[in-house]
Amino acid sequence: MSTNTAVVEMLKYYGEHCVSLYKGNDLFNKIIKMLEENSNIVLDFKNVLTITSSFLNASIAKLYGQFEEAYFLNKIKYLNLDETDTQLLNLVIKNAKEHFSKSPDVRKLENKIVEDTINKKLDE
Amino acid sequence: MNKDLIKANIIDIRNPKSLSTSKMLVDSNILYFCYYDRFQDLEFIDRAPKKYQLIEYPKYYEIMLSSKIELFIHKISIIEFVKTVIEAEMQIAYCKSDPTLNLDNYKPKYFRVNNPQTYYSVQQNILTYLASIKKTFKMIGCDEKDITLDMCLSDFYLTWQKTLADPNEAIMIADANKLGICSVFSDDFDIATFKSINFYTANRKVV
């Protein structure tokens, strides 16, 4: 099995500021492709000045809805994140895990409640 | 809507022309759309922002950052952001505790006082968001010279953590403390949760 390491220089692909959803989605798709190729992934944030939750949600957090954590946890490493950005990443991951850990039955109930709420609003 | 009410010059950020300003004041809702992350949970309880807000504002914020214009945030907007996040986080926590997810029964203050550990945990999370925010902005709305956003937020957070108060109460107490004012006259129970305060009250929960 291939165990090559793919390094994503975030500055090169996304610039100094990683904020928008479209950049986050692009990174997400990149990661999916590399995981399918069985690569180990290094996300290098050297010289990236801004990282926000909006970007991390569209990229890293979404992985937790797509796969079991065990599948990709040891395959992705983060380089050159300062303490603030590391804490933000950890918080986004923690919240994503909590969100996607809900069972299908709970999600079904929640979806029904959302639907009922929307229908109630339409009737008003 | 009565268009006569609109007096400002409107720039549609969906079709941005080149930025013609070197300074921008950023409102609390922009911080919320860019720095808060639990919108998928809020969708389940019909409290999430609109889709365009989560797409357009981060996109334009990124454009502003790349243009290297100076970004400013008012002290009040920081507090507004904190309050919005608290509301979101506590509603999410409430819905976890109530399987019917019926927010009609949700009483914010009651839930907070009866779930202090949840509130303290939310305060910790907010510290993480604020740490990210203060990397980017300069603060306005403070009379003291040379006070940085970092200093203001440190004072606020040190005063606020492990209390059950709203953030605006915390900033009020923090500012008062800096002037040597430690006595507060109020009926608000939340004030009782601050350390080192002389709380003058007739609040029945406290006296």
Side-chain angles (χ1 to χ4, degrees):
Chain A
M1 270 198 218
S2 165
T3 51
N4 60 302
T5 299
V7 178
V8 180
E9 291 175 39
M10 299 294 289
L11 181 72
K12 182 178 158 190
Y13 287 101
Y14 303 113
E16 290 178 318
H17 308 289
C18 296
V19 176
S20 65
L21 265 63
Y22 84 85
K23 280 186 185 176
N25 284 334
D26 189 83
L27 177 62
F28 173 75
N29 290 331
K30 247 188 198 50
I31 292 173
I32 296 290
K33 192 163 175 247
M34 289 186 283
L35 288 172
E36 283 168 359
E37 290 164 359
N38 203 29
S39 298
N40 292 322
I41 303 164
V42 174
L43 302 179
D44 187 351
F45 287 88
K46 189 176 178 186
N47 294 325
V48 170
L49 299 176
T50 313
I51 305 169
T52 62
S53 300
S54 47
F55 172 81
L56 293 173
N57 251 345
S59 53
I60 309 301
K62 235 161 64 171
L63 292 171
Y64 289 83
Q66 195 87 357
F67 306 109
E68 294 292 327
E69 187 183 28
Y71 171 63
F72 63 87
L73 182 62
N74 293 321
K75 291 188 176 224
I76 303 178
K77 301 252 181 291
Y78 306 91
L79 274 191
N80 293 307
L81 279 175
D82 67 21
E83 192 185 333
T84 299
D85 293 334
T86 302
Q87 283 175 356
L88 186 66
L89 174 66
N90 289 340
L91 180 56
V92 168
I93 287 173
K94 171 179 150 287
N95 288 334
K97 277 158 77 164
E98 199 177 294
H99 173 76
F100 289 113
S101 69
K102 288 174 188 159
S103 70
D105 285 343
V106 171
R107 285 184 197 237
K108 210 169 157 185
L109 171 64
E110 287 173 345
N111 285 340
K112 184 175 182 319
I113 287 165
V114 169
E115 203 183 308
D116 287 348
T117 308
I118 290 168
N119 288 337
K120 193 174 149 193
K121 280 199 171 159
L122 287 173
D123 287 342
E124 282 168 7
Chain B
M1 171 162 136
N2 183 355
K3 293 218 170 160
D4 290 339
L5 296 172
I6 299 174
K7 299 194 189 321
N9 180 29
I10 307 298
I11 295 102
D12 185 347
I13 63 165
R14 296 168 303 172
N15 299 300
K17 297 168 188 170
S18 57
L19 280 172
S20 58
T21 182
S22 58
K23 297 181 185 190
M24 184 78 80
L25 177 67
V26 179
D27 199 2
S28 59
N29 45 56
I30 306 301
L31 300 182
Y32 184 58
F33 302 142
C34 296
Y35 288 93
Y36 185 59
D37 65 309
R38 297 186 76 180
F39 299 119
Q40 283 180 303
D41 287 310
L42 288 176
E43 256 179 50
F44 283 128
I45 54 174
D46 197 29
R47 291 288 189 274
K50 299 181 178 54
K51 289 275 185 265
Y52 84 86
Q53 291 169 326
L54 298 180
I55 293 170
E56 301 295 344
Y57 290 110
K59 189 168 135 193
Y60 201 72
Y61 179 42
E62 203 171 70
I63 291 171
M64 289 197 306
L65 287 166
S66 301
S67 301
K68 301 204 190 300
I69 66 170
E70 280 187 285
L71 297 175
F72 296 89
I73 190 97
H74 197 284
K75 191 164 76 172
I76 288 176
S77 296
I78 296 278
I79 300 307
E80 277 303 311
F81 166 73
V82 170
K83 283 171 73 172
T84 307
V85 170
I86 289 169
E87 191 184 328
E89 292 278 286
M90 295 305 278
Q91 284 179 352
I92 291 168
Y94 173 78
C95 286
K96 277 195 211 154
S97 68
D98 177 358
T100 64
L101 300 182
N102 186 357
L103 276 171
D104 290 342
N105 298 330
Y106 172 61
K107 294 182 180 60
K109 214 148 188 172
Y110 177 84
F111 185 67
R112 186 196 306 175
V113 169
N114 286 286
N115 295 275
Q117 293 304 324
T118 301
Y119 196 66
Y120 300 153
S121 173
V122 169
Q123 289 174 332
Q124 270 297 119
N125 292 346
I126 284 170
L127 186 61
T128 301
Y129 299 126
L130 291 178
S132 280
I133 287 166
K134 70 184 181 189
K135 283 170 82 173
T136 306
F137 292 91
K138 291 179 186 158
M139 196 187 68
I140 62 172
C142 183
D143 292 332
E144 293 169 48
K145 281 186 189 169
D146 302 324
I147 191 156
T148 62
L149 183 56
D150 195 27
M151 288 155 68
C152 175
L153 290 180
S154 296
D155 286 342
F156 154 70
Y157 192 78
L158 280 171
T159 308
W160 185 48
Q161 65 174 338
K162 298 288 188 185
T163 72
L164 294 177
D166 288 325
N168 47 315
E169 284 149 3
I171 201 115
M172 174 182 83
I173 301 286
D175 284 353
N177 282 346
K178 276 187 258 182
L179 297 172
I181 302 166
C182 302
S183 298
V184 182
F185 185 32
S186 171
D187 187 53
D188 192 342
F189 167 78
D190 293 347
I191 304 292
T193 63
F194 286 96
K195 283 191 287 194
S196 309
I197 284 291
N198 302 317
F199 181 28
Y200 290 78
T201 188
N203 185 296
R204 300 305 169 89
K205 286 188 204 146
V206 176
V207 297

